[in-house]
């Protein structure tokens, strides 16, 4: 009964919200506007600009909010942003005197006196009681005329020269230059420019946040966090600095912290475009393409020319396997931000190759005059989606004059970016020494994300049952794999446990190291002391092995391997060749 009441109450609330008048939205805009004006008057220019941008996200054609944003940007010495805001206001309301006055102030501070004077005079003429406009006209006229001294020539020469007008603030120009350098991927150059700006304005929170982003992009995470903390110490609750910490958590691979921080930011700024962008980015990392797409679409509804949101849409489409739609979104983003290294890098990625062909052959030389074994295989895999791959595999093996042909099917599924699993089934018609049928499954869990010095680290397990003519063998192999040196050097340790139907059991281990010598050339080596399942028997085997792989091109890889096995009755030397082709 109580549950029914709760459902009825929830339904009534939903209907009430849906039926709320449009005046509620206007009231929200008005509240944001009023708070912004108070913040600007208190000289809290960063807070005022953020509030006004939120108001404009709800009502982009609000000329009053645009004018106030222009004055807030003037307070932050961002002349270009102020110019943009006043220009938009004048395009909506050409006779808006405060917008004209703001534009005159921008031109005056920029040193464009010829452009500033007629704007200020027009405002002063239309509103003679406007003392600010009259003062601005007077200041511009004084700046246009060289200072003339009424002193005698000798005294004039000794008197200090008075500057005709105040030199434009260099900080906004440095900020713009740093932004362009960062956008072009020139991080060291951008950092130098931002540090020059910080020397001129040590308590400018915009510079501190920009430096944090550049330093964080260079993977100096502790230093980046220090810049964000300095900004927050100057202005507690500063949204830009809080969002900088979100980006820092993403770069460090700390997805849970990033999620907690962005949820907190969205609670106080639900329509902030940057916060929504980051929410979408985190959702992509979490593997939630649906939420990511919704967040990026909300940004585009607020700002149709938001390049970061378009890139996010492209990433969502690429994660869903629609490369054509992804490229379309990237192209739109590049048109908004020409020359963006990040977007160009995404467009440079070749279309995914959904097919993979694996061919391999091994020849084994047995001691004690026992002859040779051969083992050849061919496999074909198809990626149904970025998360799902199906494959088929055929194996042709010969031992002591007998030949077996085994056919295998397998499916791999990535449930999240950190967790994946597979299942397989195999059959050997008229089996002589291979298993008549086999079933297997396995899983992999990445417990540590990739980082510069260490990672990723994954925990894995493989399990399999092989049914032979005389017995069945169950094997379980848990193993761990870790990488260091920026992923170039990997180590794995595998424990092997095998047991047949009559209770015989054997245990062992396999150790292996992989090294990326160059971008295309890789080597591996290892040692094993583990049971080998041979015709249903558990054979104790010791072996050393190694090999190389070389990427001839993006779609083609060649492989070679050697191994030496020691068994109770004979030794075995194995030589293998193989290739992988992607198309």
């Amino acid at each position: 009964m109580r549950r029914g009441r709760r459902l009825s109450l929830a339904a009534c609330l939903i209907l009430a919200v849906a039926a709320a008048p449009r005046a509620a939205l206007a009231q929200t805009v008005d509240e944001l506007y009023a708070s912004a004006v108070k913040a600007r008057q208190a000289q809290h220019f960063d807070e005022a600009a953020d509030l006004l941008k939120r108001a404009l996200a709800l009502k982009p054609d609000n000329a009053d909010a645009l004018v106030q944003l222009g004055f807030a940007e003037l307070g932050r010495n961002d002349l270009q942003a102020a110019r943009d805001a006043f220009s938009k206001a004048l395009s909506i309301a050409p006779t808006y005197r405060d917008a004209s006055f703001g534009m005159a102030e921008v031109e005056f501070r920029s040193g464009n006196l010829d452009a500033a004077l007629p704007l200020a005079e027009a405002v002063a003429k239309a509103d003679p009681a406007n003392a600010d406009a009259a003062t601005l006209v007077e200041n511009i006229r004084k700046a246009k005329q060289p200072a003339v001294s009424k002193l005698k020539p000798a005294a004039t020469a000794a008197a200090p020269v008075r500057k005709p007008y105040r030199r434009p603030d260099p900080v906004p120009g440095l900020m713009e230059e740093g932004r362009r350098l960062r956008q072009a991927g020139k991080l060291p150059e951008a950092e130098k420019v931002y540090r020059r700006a910080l020397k001129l304005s040590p308590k400018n929170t915009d510079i501190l946040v920009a430096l944090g982003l550049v330093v964080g992009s260079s993977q100096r995470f502790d230093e980046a966090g220090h810049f964000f903390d300095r900004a927050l110490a100057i202005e507690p609750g500063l949204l830009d600095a809080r969002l900088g910490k979100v980006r820092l958590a993403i770069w460090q691979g700390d997805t849970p912290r990033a999620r907690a921080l962005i949820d907190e930011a969205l609670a106080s700024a639900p329509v902030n475009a940057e916060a929504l962008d980051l929410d979408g980015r985190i959702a992509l990392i979490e593997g939630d393409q649906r939420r990511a797409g919704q967040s990026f679409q909300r940004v585009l509804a607020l700002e149709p020319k938001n390049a970061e949101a378009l890139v996010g849409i492209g990433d969502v489409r690429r994660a869903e396997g629609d490369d054509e739609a992804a490229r379309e979104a990237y192209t739109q983003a590049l048109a908004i931000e020409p020359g963006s290294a990040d977007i160009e890098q995404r467009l440079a990625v070749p279309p995914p190759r959904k097919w993979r062909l694996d061919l391999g052959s091994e020849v084994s030389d047995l001691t004690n005059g026992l002859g040779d074994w051969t083992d050849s295989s061919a496999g074909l895999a198809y990626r149904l989606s970025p998360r799902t791959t199906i494959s088929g595999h055929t194996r042709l093996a010969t031992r002591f004059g007998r030949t077996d042909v085994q056919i295998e099917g397998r499916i791999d599924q990535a449930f999240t970016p950190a967790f994946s699993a597979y299942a397989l089934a195999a059959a050997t018609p008229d089996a002589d020494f291979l298993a008549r049928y086999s079933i297997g499954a396995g899983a992999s869990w990445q417990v540590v994300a990739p980082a510069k010095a260490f990672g990723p680290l994954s925990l894995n397990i493989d399990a399999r049952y092989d049914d032979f003519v005389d017995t069945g063998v169950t094997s379980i192999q848990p193993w761990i794999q870790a990488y260091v040196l920026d992923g170039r050097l990997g180590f794995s340790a595998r424990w092997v446990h095998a047991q047949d139907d009559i209770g015989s059991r054997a245990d062992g281990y396999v150790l292996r190291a992989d090294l990326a010598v160059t971008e295309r050339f890789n080597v591996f080596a290892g040692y094993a002391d583990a049971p080998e399942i041979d015709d249903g028997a558990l054979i104790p085997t010791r072996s050393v092995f190694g090999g190389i792989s070389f990427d001839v091109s993006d779609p083609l890889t060649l492989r070679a391997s050697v191994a030496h096995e020691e068994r109770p009755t004979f030794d075995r030397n194995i030589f293998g060749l193989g290739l992988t082709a992607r198309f």
Side-chain angles (χ1 to χ4, degrees):
M1 184 67 179
R2 289 182 178 177
R3 184 177 179 182
R5 289 179 179 176
R6 290 175 182 171
L7 290 174
S8 298
L9 179 58
C12 291
L13 288 173
I14 292 171
L15 290 173
V17 171
R22 295 180 60 88
L25 178 61
Q27 184 181 4
T28 302
V29 173
D30 290 343
E31 288 175 350
L32 290 169
Y33 178 83
S35 299
V37 171
K38 290 180 181 178
R40 187 182 71 79
Q41 291 171 344
Q43 297 189 352
H44 298 159
F45 300 119
D46 291 328
E47 180 185 354
D50 178 62
L51 291 167
L52 289 163
K53 288 176 182 178
R54 289 167 57 188
L56 288 166
L58 296 173
K59 193 175 181 182
D61 59 349
N62 189 322
D64 291 331
L66 285 166
V67 168
Q68 288 296 325
L69 177 60
F71 287 121
E73 298 294 3
L74 278 175
R76 300 200 295 184
N77 288 321
D78 192 339
L79 299 183
Q80 184 57 52
R83 185 190 299 275
D84 292 342
F86 290 133
S87 296
K88 290 179 183 177
L90 287 170
S91 67
I92 296 169
T95 59
Y96 201 142
R97 291 175 191 167
D98 287 346
S100 296
F101 174 78
M103 187 63 76
E105 186 73 36
V106 170
E107 299 294 359
F108 175 59
R109 295 195 191 186
S110 300
N112 303 325
L113 304 181
D114 291 336
L117 184 57
L119 288 170
E121 287 178 334
V123 176
K125 183 177 180 180
D127 186 5
N130 190 329
D132 291 334
T135 301
L136 181 57
V137 170
E138 182 181 356
N139 289 337
I140 296 172
R141 288 174 176 170
K142 287 181 179 179
K144 286 175 66 67
Q145 297 175 358
V148 179
S149 175
K150 296 182 180 180
L151 299 177
K152 295 180 180 180
T156 303
V161 178
R162 187 176 183 180
K163 294 182 180 180
Y165 63 90
R166 186 179 180 182
R167 184 181 178 184
D169 186 356
V171 170
L174 290 172
M175 290 292 289
E176 176 62 20
E177 182 183 357
R179 186 195 66 79
R180 287 188 287 100
L181 289 169
R182 178 170 176 259
Q183 183 180 352
K186 299 178 179 179
L187 300 182
E189 295 87 346
E191 182 180 346
K192 290 179 182 178
V193 171
Y194 284 137
R195 287 189 182 276
R196 285 170 54 197
L198 189 62
K199 287 182 180 180
L200 296 172
S201 183
K203 293 187 177 182
N204 188 312
T205 56
D206 291 336
I207 303 173
L208 290 167
V209 171
L211 262 173
L213 293 174
V214 169
V215 171
S217 298
S218 303
Q219 297 194 344
R220 287 144 53 199
F221 301 131
D222 291 341
E223 189 177 355
H226 175 66
F227 282 119
F228 296 137
D229 289 338
R230 283 178 60 184
L232 289 169
I234 295 170
E235 187 175 343
L238 178 63
L239 183 61
D240 287 345
R242 292 164 61 196
L243 295 181
K245 283 184 165 288
V246 176
R247 292 186 186 274
L248 190 58
I250 294 174
W251 293 331
Q252 291 176 302
D254 192 347
T255 305
R257 176 168 172 76
R259 168 54 62 196
L261 289 173
I262 197 60
D263 286 345
E264 181 182 345
L266 284 171
S268 60
V271 293
N272 181 274
E274 184 180 356
L276 289 168
D277 268 324
L278 288 172
D279 180 71
R281 189 61 53 191
I282 295 167
L284 269 176
I285 297 172
E286 294 169 333
D288 190 348
Q289 279 86 22
R290 183 172 178 272
R291 174 169 181 166
Q294 289 175 341
S295 294
F296 293 131
Q297 291 292 358
R298 286 179 64 192
V299 175
L300 292 176
L302 298 170
E303 300 178 6
K305 292 188 177 182
N306 187 299
E308 189 170 355
L310 285 168
V311 170
I313 290 292
D315 290 346
V316 171
R317 297 295 175 259
R318 182 162 280 177
E320 293 171 344
D322 191 346
D323 191 70
E324 183 177 352
R327 290 179 179 278
E328 182 180 350
Y330 296 147
T331 302
Q332 293 176 15
L334 191 63
I336 297 171
E337 292 188 1
S340 170
D342 185 46
I343 302 173
E344 289 178 345
Q345 185 178 7
R346 281 171 163 82
L347 283 169
V349 175
R353 295 178 172 88
K354 295 190 175 184
W355 292 92
R356 188 185 75 242
L357 174 66
D358 293 289
L359 300 177
S361 183
E362 290 182 350
V363 176
S364 301
D365 177 34
L366 310 185
T367 60
N368 299 332
L370 296 177
D372 297 333
W373 287 356
T374 64
D375 205 329
S376 301
S377 62
L380 186 63
Y382 177 71
R383 192 175 70 166
L384 287 173
S385 72
R387 291 190 175 190
T388 307
T389 300
I390 58 173
S391 58
H393 185 267
T394 301
R395 177 184 178 189
L396 175 66
T398 62
R399 298 183 182 180
F400 305 120
R402 297 177 297 170
T403 300
D404 276 353
V405 177
Q406 188 177 70
I407 301 172
E408 179 184 295
R410 171 170 168 154
I411 182 168
D412 292 76
Q413 178 70 35
F415 295 97
T416 71
F419 181 76
S420 61
Y422 74 87
L424 63 84
T428 308
D430 301 322
D432 287 321
F433 52 88
L434 295 181
R436 294 183 297 179
Y437 69 87
S438 304
I439 55 174
S444 177
W445 177 33
Q446 186 184 97
V447 293
V448 176
K452 189 70 176 177
F454 179 80
L457 172 68
S458 60
L459 303 179
N460 314 272
I461 189 168
D462 298 308
R464 184 177 178 117
Y465 177 77
D466 296 296
D467 181 79
F468 293 89
V469 175
D470 298 324
T471 188
V473 178
T474 301
S475 62
I476 300 176
Q477 301 181 25
W479 54 291
I480 186 172
Q481 186 173 45
Y483 286 87
V484 295
L485 301 179
D486 199 17
R488 294 182 57 231
L489 179 61
F491 298 96
S492 65
R494 181 187 298 261
W495 179 65
V496 180
H497 170 78
Q499 182 172 333
D500 62 20
D501 287 349
I502 60 175
S504 300
R505 55 183 296 173
D507 297 291
Y509 61 89
V510 180
L511 303 176
R512 172 170 167 156
D514 292 78
L515 175 64
V517 181
T518 68
E519 187 176 347
R520 292 189 172 189
F521 183 68
N522 301 272
V523 298
F524 70 90
Y527 175 78
D529 185 355
E532 180 81 10
I533 303 174
D534 189 349
D535 200 8
L538 304 180
I539 309 298
T541 305
R542 293 180 180 177
S543 62
V544 291
F545 56 89
I548 61 173
S549 67
F550 178 68
D551 295 329
V552 179
S553 62
D554 182 57
L556 180 63
T557 300
L558 300 181
R559 303 185 305 274
S561 61
V562 294
H564 174 73
E565 284 186 1
E566 295 180 355
R567 298 188 177 200
T569 55
F570 61 85
D571 292 349
R572 178 185 175 199
N573 295 311
I574 309 166
F575 307 91
L577 293 173
L579 67 82
T580 297
R582 306 165 192 87
F583 54 96

